[in-house]
Amino acid sequence: MKAYISKQGIGSVLFDIFNFILQISLILLCLYPFYYLLIYSLSDPSEVSRGIYLLPRGFTLENYTQVLKLPGIFRAVLISTSRTIVGTIFSVVGCMLYAYILTKKELPFRKIIYRMTIITMYVGGGLIPTYIVLKSYGFINSFWVYVIPGAISAFNVVLCKTYIEQLPEVLEESAMIDGAGYFTRFLKIVMPLSKSIAATIALFAAVAQWNSWFDNYLYVFKSELSTLQYILYMYLTQVQNALKQLQESSLASMSNVVLTPESVRVTVTMLVTIPIILVYPFVQKHFVKGIMIGAVKG
Amino acid sequence: MNAGAKKQMGIHLPRKWALLLMALPFVIYIIMFCYVPLFGWILAFFDYVPGIPLKDTQFVGLKYFKMAFSQSDDIVRVLKNTMAMYMLGLLFSPIPMIYAIFLNEIRSRKFKRFTQTAVTFPNFISWIIVASIASSFFSTEGQINMLLRIFNSNAGPVNVLGNENIVWIFQALLGVWKSFGWNAIIYMAALTGIDESIYEAARIDGAGRLNCALYITVPGLMPTFLILTLLSISNFLSVGFDQYFVFNNYLVADKIEVLDLYVYRLGIKLNCYSLATAIGIFKSILSITLLFSVNKIVKKVRGEALI
């Protein structure tokens, strides 16, 4: 120990200790809020007023079983899940294929098409015109409004394009000599080599889909198409309504755990957060790599 | 042109058009969802009322553009809020860079990766979830007030979410909490780009860790920092929407209403379609102009354009 300190210098060791404490505090700052909500959602609502800090009070899963029985919640889970799956597939396939096409120098009007795509990052029609246009396409009150208009974003296309451009061209050339067309080459050569960028796009798209609620708020008024985030927003803003709904449903369930608007809100928040917690750490490694390549090259 | 080249072109031609055919659906998609809405800008020049066809409505020229600026009380207040949020964001923008430098000094690879995963996480949740968390911690019945009551049982509850005086700084700090880990990634990438041999040379000359950080790492990250800051200038009127929308309540409404929120309220809540569109156009044109000016300046100074 002594030898270590004298080798590193006392200042350097003190810095390491300080840095370690700093990092631990930041980890707590970023994770404790979620942990707090988790233990809250696992506590008996009648006991939470005594304070919850590290462990749930009166451990129960009743919050979750009752919340899932609330009208609309289970269906919202289904809608959110399906839009996430469908939307992610659309985004990944669309962005990768489009980016691949754009990397081909022989594409006629390539420059114009590429510029036209880039400009969309900076200019948009705005709220009202977009609403009117989507309405004229028949997208209002339709599931497709969740997954189609946002599927291809210029930013993701640029990210994929930069990645595909740095792949060795030789591989594709040899396949070309074997007579493979663009589509085959895209599927058999480019896609397998671009797993980390595809994972990055998939994560971006999946998170954006899962978190999205404003499209629901603006364009979809059918309650059977409501997403989980939208329902959480409703619980967040209309506590009174939620309470009424709750009393009705808890009367019906005759459970000895009585939910409060607080506990419903927290439990729905956890329902929305848990899937991200489960998926995110596994993709994190990929997207850091994907972003780094995109950032260094771009 | 010799025969060989002709033949090559002959093979090349159909391939080329096949490629264009593949690109066509994407081009149509972009036109449909990004360019067709631009035609909606025309609404700003008419007295548009939903339901009445545009040809039956009155052409009013720049009336709504003038109106946007003559309603100066509202627009000044909203621009002030937007500028405040942008400036605070700018003030806090070195945090991800500083954080990346500290993280880089961690020796254990595993701990480094875990830390990065943890602090990046809040970036992946929606503002609705952040609002829900904030309500659990900062509302009058929240965790913070509970802790305050333990230390001082006489103290009345502190209402953080409904306090007009701190809403700017509170929202800015929430923004930092949510995104500093994510924004640090790009600096981590830039750090890997700094040549290791520079550090080695400095160490041989007797430079400690502090000196290495101050005289090698910081200057090495500066170009990235400057580029990101310059790029953000063109977006200074788009400070975000979701965040302010979900944290909006009648107690803080005057201070939290940024430009995008104002456009939303005009368009959707008050049905002033034309006015809302006019302000949207003004915003788009301003940000494009700024983007190109910044780009031009950078090109002159650095010899290489940003975009």
Side-chain angles (χ1 to χ4, degrees):
Chain A
M1 187 66 199
K2 229 175 190 173
Y4 171 76
I5 292 177
S6 66
K7 190 184 161 218
Q8 293 289 324
I10 184 82
S12 178
V13 173
L14 283 177
F15 172 76
D16 277 336
I17 294 168
F18 167 76
N19 196 7
F20 182 73
I21 295 168
L22 176 81
Q23 301 293 343
I24 295 285
S25 329
L26 289 173
I27 294 172
L28 286 177
L29 187 70
C30 289
L31 295 189
Y32 180 74
F34 299 99
Y35 180 73
Y36 173 75
L37 261 60
L38 178 70
I39 55 179
Y40 195 111
S41 69
L42 293 171
S43 299
D44 186 330
S46 60
E47 291 192 45
V48 291
S49 57
R50 286 163 56 206
I52 303 180
Y53 305 101
L54 291 173
L55 289 171
R57 271 188 204 274
F59 179 85
T60 174
L61 288 172
E62 207 48 32
N63 285 321
Y64 285 92
T65 51
Q66 287 204 32
V67 159
L68 280 172
K69 275 186 219 149
L70 285 178
I73 294 267
F74 190 70
R75 196 169 166 91
V77 173
L78 283 182
I79 293 287
S80 282
T81 311
S82 22
R83 74 171 286 177
T84 303
I85 294 170
V86 177
T88 307
I89 294 172
F90 278 14
S91 274
V92 172
V93 175
C95 291
M96 288 296 290
L97 182 59
Y98 188 36
Y100 171 73
I101 296 168
L102 285 174
T103 60
K104 293 281 155 262
K105 301 241 167 13
E106 64 269 29
L107 173 70
F109 315 113
R110 176 165 172 265
K111 258 208 168 126
I112 300 171
I113 295 176
Y114 187 58
R115 290 234 168 105
M116 198 181 106
T117 312
I118 295 292
I119 290 173
T120 64
M121 282 206 274
Y122 301 99
V123 197
L127 204 63
I128 308 294
T130 307
Y131 180 88
I132 294 170
V133 165
L134 289 178
K135 193 172 178 183
S136 71
Y137 295 159
F139 272 24
I140 304 299
N141 277 331
S142 141
F143 177 78
W144 301 110
V145 79
Y146 293 148
V147 290
I148 291 180
I152 294 171
S153 87
F155 179 78
N156 287 348
V157 171
V158 173
L159 217 58
C160 295
K161 182 174 167 277
T162 348
Y163 191 96
I164 296 172
E165 269 168 351
Q166 52 92 43
L167 296 174
E169 260 172 67
V170 199
L171 295 168
E172 255 202 85
E173 271 163 17
S174 66
M176 204 162 92
I177 292 163
D178 291 344
Y182 290 113
F183 216 74
T184 325
R185 276 184 277 159
F186 171 71
L187 283 179
K188 296 266 165 70
I189 295 164
V190 176
M191 274 306 255
L193 288 172
S194 311
K195 272 186 203 133
S196 65
I197 195 70
T200 309
I201 303 297
L203 181 79
F204 284 171
V207 169
Q209 282 292 342
W210 182 259
N211 281 339
S212 180
W213 56 279
F214 200 55
D215 45 12
N216 188 171
Y217 187 85
L218 277 184
Y219 309 128
V220 178
F221 313 103
K222 276 192 199 159
S223 61
E224 64 259 40
L225 285 175
S226 287
T227 61
L228 207 50
Q229 297 273 352
Y230 177 74
I231 287 188
L232 176 60
Y233 178 71
M234 286 300 153
Y235 278 122
L236 207 59
T237 48
Q238 300 170 355
V239 183
Q240 289 308 316
N241 262 344
L243 192 65
K244 217 174 104 194
Q245 225 175 49
L246 210 81
Q247 278 161 347
E248 283 159 13
S249 70
S250 66
L251 278 176
S253 75
M254 302 228 291
S255 157
N256 44 8
V257 173
V258 179
L259 272 66
T260 60
E262 268 301 285
S263 67
V264 174
R265 178 179 58 74
V266 169
T267 310
V268 177
T269 308
M270 277 327 285
L271 276 183
V272 178
T273 315
I274 287 168
I276 308 181
I277 296 179
L278 292 181
V279 176
Y280 157 77
F282 298 100
V283 227
Q284 205 255 4
K285 201 174 76 192
H286 284 293
F287 80 71
V288 171
K289 215 163 104 193
I291 282 287
M292 282 193 172
I293 289 167
V296 171
K297 293 269 167 180
Chain B
M1 200 183 278
N2 60 37
K6 245 183 203 163
K7 198 181 160 200
Q8 212 175 15
M9 269 190 71
I11 300 165
H12 221 71
L13 217 63
R15 266 183 181 285
K16 196 168 115 177
W17 296 113
L19 202 58
L20 188 63
L21 208 65
M22 276 170 82
L24 204 61
F26 293 101
V27 175
I28 292 172
Y29 173 94
I30 287 175
I31 291 173
M32 270 179 73
F33 292 102
C34 302
Y35 285 89
V36 173
L38 289 182
F39 287 107
W41 279 13
I42 205 167
L43 295 184
F45 305 94
F46 286 87
D47 261 328
Y48 179 70
V49 182
I52 298 171
L54 204 59
K55 62 175 166 43
D56 298 333
T57 53
Q58 178 77 36
F59 177 80
V60 291
L62 293 176
K63 174 183 158 192
Y64 285 107
F65 290 88
K66 284 177 194 146
M67 197 196 247
F69 289 97
S70 61
Q71 286 192 332
S72 52
D73 284 356
D74 259 351
I75 203 93
V76 165
R77 177 177 59 83
V78 165
L79 283 178
K80 213 166 111 190
N81 292 341
T82 313
M83 283 306 283
M85 292 321 300
Y86 176 73
M87 292 313 256
L88 283 171
L90 203 61
L91 186 72
F92 292 139
S93 65
I95 291 177
M97 181 174 78
I98 297 166
Y99 175 71
I101 296 172
F102 275 87
L103 184 64
N104 198 44
E105 292 292 327
I106 293 284
R107 290 169 214 264
S108 157
R109 261 170 176 267
K110 267 189 188 157
F111 182 61
K112 203 169 169 177
R113 196 179 304 148
F114 176 75
T115 315
Q116 201 175 7
T117 311
V119 299
T120 316
F121 181 67
N123 183 62
F124 291 96
I125 56 165
S126 68
W127 277 105
I128 295 183
I129 299 179
V130 179
S132 180
I133 290 173
S135 149
S136 283
F137 278 85
F138 296 106
S139 70
T140 45
E141 297 296 313
Q143 185 80 333
I144 303 281
N145 276 307
M146 208 141 173
L147 286 172
L148 286 178
R149 232 170 291 149
I150 291 173
F151 293 116
N152 180 2
S153 49
N154 299 325
V158 185
N159 188 359
V160 181
L161 298 171
N163 187 343
E164 225 188 18
N165 299 320
I166 56 165
V167 65
W168 286 349
I169 186 79
F170 181 67
Q171 292 303 324
L173 289 174
L174 282 177
V176 172
W177 176 77
K178 193 171 187 294
S179 65
F180 81 93
W182 171 253
N183 291 337
I185 290 181
I186 199 148
Y187 293 108
M188 294 303 281
L191 275 170
T192 59
I194 301 176
D195 194 349
E196 190 57 36
S197 64
I198 304 176
Y199 287 106
E200 273 161 30
R203 261 178 238 130
I204 291 166
D205 287 344
R209 283 164 82 188
L210 180 68
N211 282 330
C212 281
L214 281 180
Y215 299 109
I216 303 170
T217 315
V218 173
L221 293 182
M222 259 329 188
T224 312
F225 177 72
L226 288 177
I227 288 174
L228 290 178
T229 308
L230 285 172
L231 278 177
S232 84
I233 291 175
S234 62
N235 275 328
F236 85 103
L237 287 178
S238 317
V239 286
F241 175 84
D242 289 32
Q243 178 181 2
Y244 310 105
F245 185 85
V246 294
F247 277 97
N248 195 358
N249 60 55
Y250 70 97
L251 290 170
V252 297
D254 276 352
K255 287 281 187 113
I256 208 172
E257 193 170 49
V258 295
L259 191 65
D260 284 342
L261 206 55
Y262 179 62
V263 170
Y264 165 81
R265 188 164 64 99
L266 281 179
I268 305 287
K269 296 275 163 186
L270 303 174
N271 282 326
C272 307
Y273 281 29
S274 299
L275 184 58
T277 309
I279 297 177
I281 295 173
F282 170 73
K283 207 187 96 172
S284 279
I285 290 174
L286 190 68
S287 77
I288 282 279
T289 316
L290 281 170
L291 182 76
F292 282 118
S293 332
V294 166
N295 200 36
K296 219 170 211 163
I297 295 166
V298 171
K299 204 171 178 179
K300 252 194 192 135
V301 175
R302 204 173 66 142
E304 196 185 336
L306 287 174
I307 51 159

